[in-house]
Amino acid sequence: MHAKEMRNALAATEASWELDDVIDDDVDVDEIGVEFGLGALPEPLGAFTARYPRIRPELTTPFLPYLPYLLRWKRKLRKTLPKAWDWRDVDGHNWIWPARNQGGCGSCVAFATAAGVEAHRRIETSDHALGIDLSEAALFFANNRQCNPGDPRYGWFNGAALDYLMEEGACFEENYPYQPLNQVARIPEGTERTLKITGYDSTTNTTQMKRWIAEEGPLVASFGVYQDFFAFWSNGTGVYNHVTGPYRGGHAVLVVGYDDTRSSWIVKNSWGTTTGHPDGCFEIASGECGIDDRMYLVEDVYD
């Protein structure tokens, strides 16, 4: 599809995003929309959706937005959720570090869950500058997962990754650097330090998702990627919604905020950065492509 045809399709559907003006009308957007790895698989029947979740207050109870250095019971009560929340700017600090790049490997689940653990560790310790770099390679390949579509071990499940983070944890990038190609996990002897989680929870309720984001931290989610998302990621701006093109697969991401005014979720990707997405984050419309079908909350990171 040429850029002019896509612009016409975006206009006809009153889409909430647009192609960059520097893209000429006669350019084939499928050629400039670089395709990256996906790899999020539908959860298998009977998979856990929560393990050892903390008991939380009902949605009808007062809301306690996060503030660094304050215990939950000392936070200021609010009766309603804020209209927007973004962990890239909470208390004047960015708690979300720039996105890494999974390349062509179907390892997005490892990237999304590792990013969740890293962010929650900073939030739980009230240290936005805490340097944490977990090994996505160790998390992915230690579970005998592989990069390429068609391989029976291709991709992964959000719940399975969270199970492994409970039971085994993840070592650090310096112990096992990531490469976007099939590997066998051989973690060096003497690698003793890992981060683990005590449990996780999940919900299909969007109000609960927003409450968890603002009270606890980012959430792990998946959505369906269509061909036009590659064009949006490489050359688009605005709030993504699917307009045209075939389905390409599932993709796991970290949801770092929301904006009710724009009816959007704010999402950290694992495809590096682009001109329109300089920190590797983007916005996707609420309810779009299954982004809020279910989101997962990691709990209580420990060293």
Side-chain angles (χ1 to χ4, degrees):
M1 176 181 285
H2 290 100
K4 183 175 182 178
E5 294 174 283
M6 178 163 281
R7 287 192 173 101
N8 290 339
L10 293 172
T13 59
E14 298 183 347
S16 49
W17 63 282
E18 59 186 10
L19 285 179
D20 195 305
D21 290 340
V22 301
I23 306 300
D24 293 334
D25 281 349
D26 58 351
V27 169
D28 187 334
V29 292
D30 291 339
E31 291 183 2
I32 59 173
V34 178
E35 296 195 20
F36 290 87
L38 301 172
L41 306 179
E43 296 293 332
L45 225 57
F48 290 117
T49 56
R51 288 185 67 186
Y52 301 110
R54 286 206 303 267
I55 297 174
R56 292 185 173 81
E58 298 292 330
L59 285 174
T60 53
T61 60
F63 164 70
L64 298 165
Y66 176 84
L67 278 173
Y69 315 112
L70 287 182
L71 296 173
R72 175 184 291 271
W73 62 274
K74 287 189 174 182
R75 299 179 193 173
K76 187 177 179 181
L77 291 172
R78 295 181 61 165
K79 291 184 179 179
T80 58
L81 285 165
K83 293 292 184 184
W85 190 276
D86 187 346
W87 277 104
R88 296 174 301 174
D89 184 11
V90 172
D91 195 44
H93 298 294
N94 184 357
W95 304 77
I96 307 301
W97 284 24
R100 303 185 188 106
N101 192 342
Q102 71 183 82
C105 181
S107 54
C108 59
V109 169
F111 276 81
T113 51
V117 172
E118 293 167 356
H120 277 266
R121 184 65 170 170
R122 294 187 196 102
I123 292 163
E124 291 168 9
T125 58
S126 294
D127 185 356
H128 66 92
L130 183 64
I132 305 175
D133 189 0
L134 292 184
S135 171
E136 295 87 1
L139 183 57
F140 190 65
F141 296 114
N143 283 274
N144 199 26
R145 309 312 301 176
Q146 295 291 281
C147 290
N148 302 320
D151 190 309
R153 300 164 296 169
Y154 168 76
W156 209 10
F157 316 97
N158 288 332
L162 294 167
D163 288 339
Y164 188 79
L165 285 164
M166 284 183 62
E167 294 157 8
E168 300 294 336
C171 68
F172 288 71
E173 180 74 8
E174 63 188 23
N175 303 125
Y176 190 20
Y178 177 80
Q179 298 178 60
L181 46 84
N182 286 341
Q183 301 171 57
V184 176
R186 293 189 179 92
I187 302 173
E189 289 185 19
T191 300
E192 298 178 354
R193 190 179 178 211
T194 62
L195 291 186
K196 299 175 77 174
I197 60 176
T198 60
Y200 62 90
D201 208 345
S202 73
T203 184
T204 58
N205 183 304
T206 56
T207 302
Q208 182 71 78
M209 293 169 188
K210 293 172 185 177
R211 180 165 183 162
W212 281 357
I213 287 171
E215 284 189 331
E216 308 265 1
L219 306 179
V220 176
S222 296
F223 71 104
V225 171
Y226 292 82
Q227 186 69 34
D228 62 348
F229 183 76
F230 295 117
F232 165 78
W233 175 254
S234 299
N235 304 286
T237 56
V239 177
Y240 173 76
N241 65 296
H242 169 54
V243 174
T244 183
Y247 177 76
R248 300 309 301 270
H251 187 46
V253 289
L254 188 68
V255 180
V256 303
Y258 63 89
D259 189 333
D260 286 344
T261 303
R262 294 164 66 86
S263 297
S264 69
W265 299 101
I266 303 165
V267 175
K268 178 181 179 179
N269 202 357
S270 53
W271 294 349
T273 63
T274 63
T275 303
H277 309 99
D279 60 355
C281 294
F282 68 94
E283 285 183 84
I284 183 171
S286 300
E288 191 67 29
C289 300
I291 183 65
D292 41 27
D293 284 356
R294 180 178 295 276
M295 294 190 189
Y296 294 82
L297 172 67
V298 304
E299 297 184 329
D300 303 324
V301 181
Y302 66 99
D303 192 332

